[in-house]
Amino acid sequence: MSVETPIADWARHARTRSMRDDVLLATPIVIVVAALGWRLANPATGLALALLGAIATVLIARKRARRYDRRWLIAAIDAARGDAEDSSDLLFADPATLTPLQRLQRPRVEARLAGEPVPELYSARSHRTTVALWLLAAAVLAAIALWPDGAGSDGPLSPAHEGVARPGIPTLTAQRLTVVPPAYTGLPPRALGTLDARVPAGSRLEWTLAFTSDPAAAAITVLDARRTALARSGATWTATRTADRSLLYRVVAASGQPAPPLHRIDVVVDQPPRIRLVSPSVTLIQMSPGQRSWSLSFEATDDYGVKAVASLRLVVAQGEGENVRFSERTVAVRGTGNSRRRIFATTIALAGTGFTEPGDLVAQLTVADARTPSPHRVVGPSVILRRAPASGAESGLEAMTRRTMPAYFSSQRQVIIDAEALLAERPRPAPDRFLARSTAIADDQRLLRMRYGQFMGEEVGGGATNAMPTSDAEEGAAPPRDEHADEPPTAPPQFGQESAIVETYGHTHDESEAATLLDPGTRATLRQALDNMRQSETALRLGDPRRALPFAYKALRFIKQVQQATRIFLARTGSQLPPVDLARRLTGDRSDMAARTLGATVADPVDATPAAIWAALDTRSDAGGLDALARWLRANEARVPDPLALAAAIDTVRRDPTCATCRAKLRGTLWSALPRPTPGLTRRPAGDAVGRRYLDALP
């Protein structure tokens, strides 16, 4: 008898038994998971989970069954039959490769296996685990079926109070509003016994209603004329809608009440995260000698949750003046703590950032909340680690030297960076904010132009004035007396002397040894830089950074050319303030004082529509006024503290024009929405003749 066929049957039988046991063990788990997906999400999710679980179970069972191969079969036969004398491997060997002794042993093993039945080689696992899992799955399925839905879809309806039921007229008698918040909020579904609710933005609203007399049709009618039809499901009516904005609505049934009551849904918009600097306590830190690391800690909070990983932006700025080099890198930081309040702490190795020269290392944390599909991304405060330049005593000629163009305020390169960042910002800011930020960059450009203009002899204040900075004279007053008028006359100028011509027809306050020494070529280049700065500033003040960038780049190139010029020498001079005129102090002379009268302020234009309608509500002939007020409300919702309350008051008066209480409520609600007029200035009374003489006599 050949044993090849029984041996093949033994291995196939073991693999089949193994797959069957694995499938029986995993099936209850798959059923429970699919039932949970069906109940908590929707039927499609449950079916998808069941299909994926079945495929995974079959693949895992086939993989586990592959262990019952030839090696397992040989070991099982040797263990089950002692008369095989551990020679069952000869049954699977090639006869040509056997030794003479093995050729004699193989027929003996075949005869012994054919003579007596082979016991069961596959050791079946205990069925207790499988039975226990099936019983547990049955209990879980029963609990899922009997447990009241967290969203309240199978719970009892609450009684409604929308009027007295009358025969033949559909009246709402039972109601339930189910709120299913978005998944990112982490809030559970909830069932409400009222039709008014306050829900997160993006929530799914499910109405389940019951009427005394079944209407032919019913719908959820929003106050802005949008409708959501109710579908009949047995004895109840259901509808579903996504809450994307606050609304007022009615439950309207065909042939039902003429004016059902209004219900209100307030939508709470998801707020962006908030970032607070925990450590260090200040945003500007001076680097200590020998410091090798920098520890930072931020706190991020959100109403629903912050993502666990944030990005830390590190910007290294090194150099002086216009020779500033920038490098940037981003580091991922993992937060700890509750999802609604996470702490992002990290330690930065300064050697890895390349921060080796005097300059600034700026760190800025960016976090995102869990909102889907477009999360809020918020950039936190900037923290600066400053490495001060090495200080050393200077003397002699080096103490009098200075670079041609020292760095004042924002550099020209920073003006360009800010303008390009403003243009690249998405989404684009509002026009007023865009103009304000462009004007701020223009202010930096003006300060930079004025500082560089000092080397050309320009006035710091942007132009000459009659009054000196420490003078008490007012704008528009008579010019002060020249401080050089009392000086002794100098010798008459000689013909051909350039300095004599300047002294004759000019008015200079500079000392020749204190003036900036620039060669004509450098002065011409600096003049071109100032002209381009002025053009850039003009375009920025007009809110056009794109037109300002070419001039800003030209100014930067000219400044770089000036920086490459030879070094200059400045004399050590102290500040020279104009002398104080002691002759006019404490004299009470007010003849040269200008008038201090303030100009009249012009009030902002006020929209007269709500004020006129508020005044007309005292009468009853204002049907057109209510329509105008409704149109005004739709166009000015942002200016009204509670637009839904005002819309409800308008609707109430429109449905019952004779209700005096409703009119009074509408007037009170509208009063809080009226724009406030701009306050003006009231001139102080001039007083009588005695009072004026007293004021004139005051020193």
Side-chain angles (χ1 to χ4, degrees):
M1 171 184 177
S2 177
V3 297
E4 294 180 359
T5 300
I7 290 175
D9 292 340
W10 295 337
R12 189 181 304 108
H13 176 70
R15 287 193 292 269
T16 303
R17 291 283 303 275
S18 175
M19 289 186 62
R20 184 192 64 185
D21 292 344
D22 290 339
V23 170
L24 288 176
L25 189 65
T27 298
I29 301 176
V30 174
I31 293 175
V32 170
V33 172
L36 289 174
W38 184 296
R39 182 63 181 275
L40 297 179
N42 49 58
T45 303
L47 293 176
L49 291 175
L51 180 60
L52 292 176
I55 295 174
T57 299
V58 172
L59 293 178
I60 294 174
R62 289 187 59 182
K63 184 177 180 180
R64 287 173 54 84
R66 291 174 184 172
R67 58 182 175 174
Y68 297 101
D69 53 1
R70 178 181 298 179
R71 180 177 299 177
W72 167 85
L73 185 59
I74 292 172
I77 294 175
D78 290 340
R81 297 289 298 269
D83 55 356
E85 298 177 349
D86 295 332
S87 301
S88 57
D89 56 336
L90 299 176
L91 303 176
F92 304 95
D94 187 3
T97 61
L98 299 179
T99 63
L101 183 59
Q102 291 175 338
R103 292 192 188 98
L104 293 175
Q105 180 69 3
R106 178 172 178 172
R108 297 176 57 191
V109 173
E110 290 180 352
R112 292 173 182 175
L113 294 179
E116 297 182 7
V118 179
E120 182 66 37
L121 300 179
Y122 174 77
S123 57
R125 67 187 65 174
S126 175
H127 294 291
R128 294 181 179 179
T129 304
T130 304
V131 173
L133 280 178
W134 275 99
L135 293 177
L136 182 60
V140 172
L141 291 176
I144 293 175
L146 299 178
W147 189 270
D149 192 356
S153 59
D154 297 332
L157 301 181
S158 301
H161 306 282
E162 293 204 354
V164 180
R166 289 177 290 179
I169 298 179
T171 305
L172 183 64
T173 58
Q175 60 193 11
R176 182 179 62 244
L177 176 61
T178 302
V179 180
V180 183
Y184 73 87
T185 62
L187 300 176
R190 55 195 177 101
L192 305 176
T194 177
L195 299 183
D196 301 293
R198 184 178 178 86
V199 301
S203 299
R204 189 173 76 249
L205 305 178
E206 300 175 358
W207 287 272
T208 304
L209 309 173
F211 299 89
T212 52
S213 300
D214 290 335
I220 302 295
T221 304
V222 185
L223 200 59
D224 59 3
R226 291 182 296 173
R227 295 172 59 89
T228 301
L230 287 163
R232 187 169 183 176
S233 176
T236 60
W237 295 73
T238 59
T240 303
R241 181 189 180 96
T242 301
D244 52 356
R245 59 190 297 266
S246 301
L247 53 92
L248 295 170
Y249 71 96
R250 286 186 173 90
V251 178
V252 179
S255 302
Q257 302 180 57
L262 277 173
H263 302 283
R264 175 169 177 165
I265 300 294
D266 288 306
V267 173
V268 180
V269 181
D270 182 21
Q271 299 297 321
R274 295 166 296 279
I275 303 177
R276 183 178 65 89
L277 178 62
V278 178
S279 176
S281 58
V282 294
T283 57
L284 178 60
I285 303 97
Q286 295 292 336
M287 184 176 176
S288 58
Q291 182 176 351
R292 297 184 178 181
S293 61
W294 188 26
S295 298
L296 295 173
S297 179
F298 298 87
E299 180 189 58
T301 57
D302 188 68
D303 44 5
Y304 297 123
V306 180
K307 289 187 177 179
V309 179
S311 60
L312 184 66
R313 178 170 171 258
L314 300 175
V315 179
V316 179
Q318 300 179 106
E320 296 183 8
E322 297 295 336
N323 297 321
V324 179
R325 303 183 306 277
F326 294 91
S327 62
E328 181 178 340
R329 57 179 296 195
T330 303
V331 180
V333 181
R334 180 169 294 275
T336 59
N338 190 359
S339 61
R340 297 192 178 186
R341 180 182 177 275
R342 294 189 186 275
I343 300 296
F344 295 91
T346 183
T347 300
I348 303 170
L350 300 180
T353 61
F355 187 43
T356 58
E357 300 179 11
D360 294 338
L361 173 60
V362 184
Q364 206 170 30
L365 186 73
T366 302
V367 301
D369 61 5
R371 190 180 73 160
T372 54
S374 55
H376 289 116
R377 295 189 180 276
V378 177
V379 180
S382 298
V383 191
I384 304 174
L385 178 64
R386 176 160 297 172
R387 183 196 294 267
S391 59
E394 296 180 350
S395 62
L397 191 62
E398 288 297 324
M400 300 175 61
T401 61
R402 185 177 298 171
R403 288 293 180 182
T404 305
M405 291 293 120
Y408 291 102
F409 299 95
S410 294
S411 65
Q412 184 66 23
R413 192 187 306 274
Q414 188 62 44
V415 171
I416 295 174
I417 293 174
D418 293 342
E420 290 179 343
L422 180 59
L423 288 174
E425 185 172 352
R426 292 293 184 275
R428 189 180 179 92
D432 54 343
R433 291 184 56 198
F434 186 87
L435 181 59
R437 293 178 58 183
S438 180
T439 304
I441 302 174
D443 293 338
D444 293 340
Q445 181 70 90
R446 174 178 175 272
L447 291 175
L448 190 63
R449 176 178 59 82
M450 291 168 56
R451 291 297 182 178
Y452 282 119
Q454 290 182 358
F455 293 91
M456 301 296 294
E458 293 185 356
E459 295 286 348
V460 178
T465 59
N466 293 334
M468 296 299 293
T470 58
S471 175
D472 295 333
E474 297 290 332
E475 285 285 340
R481 182 175 58 87
D482 189 1
E483 62 269 25
H484 301 284
D486 297 335
E487 295 179 0
T490 59
Q494 299 180 4
F495 181 79
Q497 292 183 355
E498 295 180 358
S499 60
I501 298 175
V502 175
E503 293 175 359
T504 303
Y505 298 100
H507 188 77
T508 177
H509 292 264
D510 294 337
E511 298 176 5
S512 59
E513 59 269 20
T516 302
L517 303 179
L518 294 176
D519 61 278
T522 304
R523 289 180 64 87
T525 304
L526 184 56
R527 174 57 62 189
Q528 296 182 54
L530 294 176
D531 293 340
N532 282 278
M533 286 184 184
R534 187 174 289 103
Q535 295 291 336
S536 172
E537 176 188 349
T538 302
L540 288 170
R541 292 197 183 281
L542 294 176
D544 192 357
R546 192 178 303 279
R547 188 163 61 90
L549 281 175
F551 299 104
Y553 275 108
K554 290 181 181 178
L556 178 60
R557 288 196 296 270
F558 288 128
I559 291 174
K560 299 298 290 184
Q561 294 177 15
V562 174
Q563 284 182 339
Q564 295 170 3
T566 57
R567 304 177 80 183
I568 63 174
F569 295 86
L570 302 179
R572 287 184 174 179
T573 58
S575 60
Q576 295 182 358
L577 300 178
V580 178
D581 187 7
L582 299 177
R584 58 185 299 269
R585 290 180 61 86
L586 303 178
T587 60
D589 183 12
R590 299 185 299 166
S591 58
D592 59 346
M593 293 182 61
R596 297 177 179 268
T597 304
L598 297 177
T601 58
V602 179
D604 297 333
V606 178
D607 188 0
T609 301
I613 297 175
W614 179 84
L617 284 174
D618 283 338
T619 63
R620 296 185 180 181
S621 57
D622 56 355
L626 293 178
D627 296 336
L629 182 59
R631 291 192 298 270
W632 177 87
L633 177 60
R634 286 193 294 270
N636 300 272
E637 286 188 354
R639 297 170 53 183
V640 180
D642 192 352
L644 292 185
L646 183 56
I650 294 172
D651 183 77
T652 304
V653 175
R654 180 181 282 118
R655 290 183 175 274
D656 189 3
T658 61
C659 179
T661 305
C662 302
R663 286 176 172 274
K665 183 178 180 180
L666 175 57
R667 294 192 76 209
T669 307
L670 182 57
W671 175 262
S672 62
L674 292 179
R676 301 295 185 266
T678 303
L681 295 177
T682 304
R683 186 178 180 84
R684 185 177 60 182
D688 53 5
V690 177
R692 288 194 296 270
R693 286 198 304 271
Y694 172 76
L695 293 176
D696 293 337
L698 290 176

